[in-house]
Amino acid sequence: MRNLNQDTITQAVLARFAGTPDPRLKEIMTCLVQHLHAFAREVKLTEAEWLQGIQFLTATGHKCDTQRQEFILLSDTLGLSMLTVAMNNEKPAGCTEATVFGPFFLEDAPHYEQGADVANGARGEPCVVRGTVKGLDGKPVADAVINVWQADADGNYDVQYAELAHPQARGILRSGPDGGFHFKTIRAEAYPIPSDGPVGDMLKATANHPWRPAHLHFMIEAPGYERLITQVFRDGDPYLDSDAVFGVRQSLVADWVELPDGSYSLDYDFVLNPVR
Ligand code: BEZ
Ligand code: FE
C-alpha cells in the first residue's frame, strides 16, 4: 500500500481494520473512519486546523482529574451525551423520561429517612419535595432506592467545594409501602456548567452560554424495573430552551410552588419501566 492519495486513503484505512476479530469493534472503527474522513473532506480541513483540533483535545485531556471530566462536558455540549441517552432509553408512553446523568453524582451519598433535610447545610431557599414511585401499571413501587442530588444557591454541587467536610444537597432515600417519598432540601437554581476549560472556550467561540436551567437530579432503582436516571426542571426558568447540555424534556418540567411562608414545594411522580 503505497502512494495513497486523497481518493484512495479511506479504502486503505478501512482495509486495515477489516480483520478486527470483535464484530462490534469492527463496525465502530469502520464507521468512525468513514465519518472522520468524510468530515475532513467536507470542511476541506487545513493542516493548521487539524493541529488546532489536536491541541484542543490535548487541553481537554489535561483538564481532567478525579473531580473534573472535561471529555464528558465536551460530549454533553456537543449533544452526544443526550443523543446516546435518547437512543438507549426509549420507553413506553407514560414512563418518566430519562435525561443526562451529569458529572456530579456521588456513589456513596448519605442515607436519609423520609422527611429528612438532605440539604444538610447547603445554602438555598427551603423546599419540600414529595412524590410517588409507580410502575407503568400504576402500582406503587415500595422500597425503591431514590438517589437525589442538586446544586446550591450559588450554583455549585458539594463536590465542587474542596473544603467541605460532609456531603450537601444529596442523599439516598427509600420509597414507602405506598411508593411515596418526601424530603426537605433547597430550591433548585440555574447554574453554569464548568466553563474555565477548553469546553468553556469552545462555548465562547461559538457564542453559546454555559447555563443549565434549574433542576433536581434523580436516580431511581427498584428490582423488576429499569433504572431511571433523570432530572426535574423548574418551570419558568429562562434557560429551559437553551440548556447547555440539551437535557430538557417537557414532561420533566414541574412547578416549584411558593408557599405563604416563603418556602417552596415540588410534587413530582415517577413512573418506572418494567424490565422485559
Ligand atoms: C448536571 O446537570 O449536573 C450537568 C450535566 C452535564 C454537564 C454538567 C453538569
Ligand atoms: Fe445538575
Side-chain angles (χ1 to χ4, degrees):
M1 228 177 292
R2 296 185 187 182
N3 302 329
L4 293 168
N5 62 32
Q6 58 177 302
D7 299 321
T8 56
I9 185 150
T10 303
Q11 278 314 315
V13 178
L14 291 176
R16 189 71 60 84
F17 291 110
T20 303
D22 181 327
R24 178 62 176 160
L25 180 61
K26 180 177 169 182
E27 183 183 6
I28 287 174
M29 292 309 296
T30 301
C31 215
L32 178 68
V33 168
Q34 281 167 336
H35 283 274
L36 260 183
H37 285 215
F39 161 75
R41 281 196 184 90
E42 190 173 336
V43 301
K44 298 188 170 54
L45 194 67
T46 67
E47 287 168 291
E49 289 161 347
W50 171 87
L51 183 59
Q52 204 180 345
I54 296 291
Q55 285 165 341
F56 175 79
L57 292 174
T58 304
T60 300
H62 284 160
K63 194 73 189 165
C64 294
D65 59 26
T66 53
Q67 296 300 324
R68 178 79 174 256
Q69 231 303 353
E70 193 76 358
F71 274 112
I72 294 185
L73 276 187
L74 180 57
S75 160
D76 294 340
T77 51
L78 293 178
L80 180 61
S81 307
M82 195 56 216
L83 170 62
T84 309
V85 168
M87 287 190 302
N88 288 279
N89 288 275
E90 274 187 311
K91 298 171 197 284
C95 286
T96 304
E97 294 186 278
T99 188
V100 284
F101 197 36
F104 298 122
F105 173 75
L106 253 192
E107 203 63 62
D108 45 5
H111 289 258
Y112 288 105
E113 296 296 325
Q114 295 282 348
D117 184 5
V118 309
N120 199 19
R123 248 173 44 77
E125 304 285 348
C127 177
V128 170
V129 179
R130 282 181 302 250
T132 54
V133 184
K134 293 178 191 155
L136 192 54
D137 57 6
K139 293 213 180 88
V141 179
D143 222 25
V145 178
I146 304 168
N147 237 295
V148 56
W149 67 105
Q150 68 170 107
D152 67 9
D154 296 315
N156 294 314
Y157 286 78
D158 54 0
V159 292
Q160 294 176 285
Y161 294 107
E163 74 285 5
L164 211 62
H166 53 266
Q168 288 186 331
R170 70 174 69 240
I172 302 171
L173 301 103
R174 282 180 180 264
S175 59
D178 59 352
F181 66 87
H182 62 108
F183 59 90
K184 293 190 197 108
T185 185
I186 47 175
R187 193 181 69 166
E189 307 290 349
Y191 66 85
I193 63 167
S195 58
D196 59 341
V199 171
D201 296 343
M202 185 268 289
L203 290 175
K204 265 183 231 110
T206 56
N208 283 300
H209 71 70
W211 287 83
R212 296 219 62 211
H215 60 273
L216 192 50
H217 291 261
F218 285 92
M219 179 167 83
I220 304 183
E221 295 169 290
Y225 296 92
E226 287 176 7
R227 180 169 73 175
L228 173 66
I229 293 172
T230 195
Q231 301 170 26
V232 180
F233 296 90
R234 203 169 108 207
D235 200 10
D237 190 288
Y239 299 109
L240 283 172
D241 291 310
S242 62
D243 180 8
V245 304
F246 307 95
V248 178
R249 307 218 154 286
Q250 183 55 36
S251 69
L252 301 174
V253 177
D255 216 8
W256 265 249
V257 178
E258 186 170 3
L259 304 175
D261 67 355
S263 69
Y264 288 80
S265 76
L266 165 69
D267 289 87
Y268 197 86
D269 295 335
F270 294 92
V271 179
L272 302 185
N273 195 20
V275 175
R276 273 144 289 142

